[in-house]
Amino acid sequence: VCRNNNNMASHGLAYDGCNFFRQRLVLSTLSGKRVKIKNIRSKDDNPGLRDFEASLIRLLDKVTNGSIIEINQTGTVLFYQPGLLYGGSVEHDCNLQRSVGYYLEALLMLAPFMKTSLKATLRGVTNDPRDPTVDMLKSTALPLMKKFGIDGEGFDLKVVKRGMAPGGGGEVVFTCPVRRTIRPVQLTDPAKIKRIRGVAYSVRVSPQMANRIVESARGVLNQFIPDIYIYTDHMKGANSGKSPGFGLTLVAETLNGSFLSAEMSSMPQGQGDPKLPEDLGRDCAKLLLEEVHRGGCVDSSNQSLALLLMTLGQQDVSKVLLGPLSPYTIEFLRHIRDFFQLMFKIEVQKPSEDERKGGDKVLMTCVGVGYSNINKTIK
């Protein structure tokens, strides 16, 4: 699909439809390019922006200073002119249609480039089957960002209260220091898996549920590696949110400090067929094995975060080895081309039969655009 003709328009970038809404707003905010999105669900019975998308726009408005947002009456056309990333202390009630992870992923991409370090308190659904849960972001996205030089004592993600879908009632606090520049990385050898860690959580159900999940997950994983420890996390009372549920997040750590993860949550109360904790544990363990087979230095849910940090790095070569690219990541690469005029060099590496290294890998190489935080004056 050739999109270049409409992107050359003088008013910034123009897009059609509601897909990849978050990517476009985040990249627009970072690059300072205005973006106009039209035909947002214009043929739908219920046209226009959904509540969770409007909630994301409000969150972006809270962390920036001077953003201009215009939405037409039906909500099918959005014009967004980004302001400066300000940061500071932010509280936001996320929409319950999507989990906090949906909003947090956008914040993770923006947080290092704020003017003052960010302290965001997000309330809503912390774990649901659709979006990456807070536990998963804490155990994979944060270590990934540390590799790019975003760390320090103020870099943390705390789950204060858990909230399962559909009722929510969870609360997380995300704090992140600001960085002037992002350092380039060379993550080309994921090495072997050395240990598996995980969290089995349950709220408003019997605490025994978590133990049943752990047992069945270990049943699968113990065949491969002895060093497995899965914590059980049973929150009670006010900290347990408003809806019952349980789930499991598993993280495999490699010798070189890469993290691959998989997770599953129980279906929200009253939706779909209920799942036994044993089945959930077993299926989640299989998902982790699938993720290990895909391999790479970054798991499939964090591919776009890694590629963004590579793009924004100093003007030096970054290389990252990924597993097969997800459709979301492929679209993200197109957006990076639109917003930053940056193309990646993509090399497919097929492991030979006898190596047993899993699926095809993709080596992504780029030279960073030398993005520097305009708010940090040079001392």
Side-chain angles (χ1 to χ4, degrees):
V1 181
C2 177
R3 288 213 206 77
N4 292 345
N5 51 5
N6 64 358
N7 289 340
M8 297 303 171
S10 58
H11 61 260
L13 301 176
Y15 289 107
D16 247 28
C18 62
N19 266 353
F20 312 106
F21 181 74
R22 208 167 32 149
Q23 289 185 12
R24 288 165 185 168
L25 290 187
V26 165
L27 289 172
S28 159
T29 311
L30 286 169
S31 64
K33 290 188 178 167
R34 293 174 290 186
V35 67
K36 184 176 187 179
I37 305 176
K38 49 185 197 296
N39 296 335
I40 301 176
R41 302 189 180 88
S42 47
K43 300 219 165 41
D44 205 86
D45 296 344
N46 174 13
L49 290 169
R50 294 279 175 270
D51 292 346
F52 67 86
E53 291 166 333
S55 180
L56 177 70
I57 296 172
R58 279 197 290 277
L59 177 61
L60 285 178
D61 193 36
K62 283 178 188 171
V63 296
T64 58
N65 194 352
S67 295
I68 299 172
I69 301 155
E70 293 169 11
I71 302 173
N72 70 345
Q73 271 177 323
T74 50
T76 53
V77 179
L78 166 85
F79 172 75
Y80 177 69
Q81 182 173 339
L84 293 176
L85 283 164
Y86 188 75
S89 192
V90 177
E91 291 198 11
H92 186 66
D93 290 325
C94 301
N95 190 282
L96 298 180
Q97 293 168 348
R98 297 298 286 263
S99 87
V100 167
Y102 174 82
Y103 300 91
L104 205 50
E105 276 191 308
L107 275 186
L108 285 168
M109 293 178 170
L110 298 172
F113 309 105
M114 303 280 181
K115 183 171 184 182
T116 56
S117 51
L118 178 72
K119 176 179 188 239
T121 308
L122 303 176
R123 296 187 187 85
V125 176
T126 55
N127 304 77
D128 77 348
R130 215 174 138 182
D131 293 304
T133 62
V134 180
D135 308 88
M136 175 135 145
L137 290 173
K138 180 172 181 164
S139 52
T140 57
L142 268 60
L144 174 65
M145 290 171 76
K146 284 180 181 162
K147 288 207 164 68
F148 285 89
I150 305 164
D151 54 4
E153 42 213 59
F155 189 46
D156 191 27
L157 177 57
K158 275 198 205 70
V159 185
V160 185
K161 301 176 185 171
R162 268 189 202 287
M164 303 292 288
E171 183 178 318
V172 301
V173 178
F174 171 55
T175 51
C176 180
V178 289
R179 282 288 166 268
R180 220 180 83 75
T181 52
I182 299 288
R183 70 165 177 242
V185 294
Q186 306 277 328
L187 303 174
T188 51
D189 178 24
K192 288 194 161 44
I193 306 287
K194 65 173 175 183
R195 59 169 166 233
I196 295 176
R197 294 285 176 267
V199 178
Y201 52 86
S202 57
V203 289
R204 301 194 171 266
V205 292
S206 151
Q208 207 49 45
M209 293 286 194
N211 301 343
R212 286 163 63 184
I213 295 174
V214 172
E215 214 161 301
S216 61
R218 291 195 66 124
V220 176
L221 298 173
N222 266 339
Q223 303 166 30
F224 302 99
I225 189 170
D227 186 359
I228 302 174
Y229 197 88
I230 303 174
Y231 300 86
T232 53
D233 176 5
H234 180 72
M235 287 201 165
K236 298 188 185 67
N239 291 349
S240 65
K242 297 176 180 166
S243 298
F246 50 85
L248 172 65
T249 304
L250 290 172
V251 182
E253 186 184 343
T254 69
L255 290 164
N256 289 354
S258 303
F259 293 86
L260 304 170
S261 64
E263 60 177 0
M264 281 190 98
S265 302
S266 58
M267 288 307 278
Q269 191 180 13
Q271 296 173 26
D273 295 329
K275 198 166 194 164
L276 281 172
E278 282 79 9
D279 298 346
L280 185 133
R282 196 176 317 111
D283 292 351
C284 186
K286 285 178 183 163
L287 274 181
L288 183 71
L289 297 178
E290 168 77 21
E291 197 62 63
V292 169
H293 174 77
R294 293 174 66 128
C297 296
V298 180
D299 63 349
S300 47
S301 62
N302 290 310
Q303 283 175 349
S304 48
L305 177 63
L307 294 173
L308 177 73
L309 292 172
M310 286 167 74
T311 304
L312 299 177
Q314 295 164 11
Q315 293 183 337
D316 201 353
V317 179
S318 279
K319 289 187 179 189
V320 171
L321 186 72
L322 300 176
L325 300 179
S326 67
Y328 187 79
T329 309
I330 292 168
E331 201 58 45
F332 192 75
L333 286 167
R334 289 180 185 144
H335 283 114
I336 283 180
R337 184 194 61 196
D338 291 349
F339 284 97
F340 289 103
Q341 285 77 52
L342 182 102
M343 308 276 266
F344 280 79
K345 181 178 170 202
I346 304 175
E347 298 167 75
V348 179
Q349 299 185 344
K350 287 193 185 300
S352 59
E353 289 298 311
D354 50 344
E355 272 190 81
R356 298 177 70 180
K357 282 266 181 75
D360 294 352
K361 306 285 185 285
V362 186
L363 183 65
M364 307 291 288
T365 313
C366 81
V367 175
V369 294
Y371 188 87
S372 69
N373 187 338
I374 50 173
N375 298 308
K376 307 295 287 172
T377 49
I378 299 169
K379 291 277 193 299

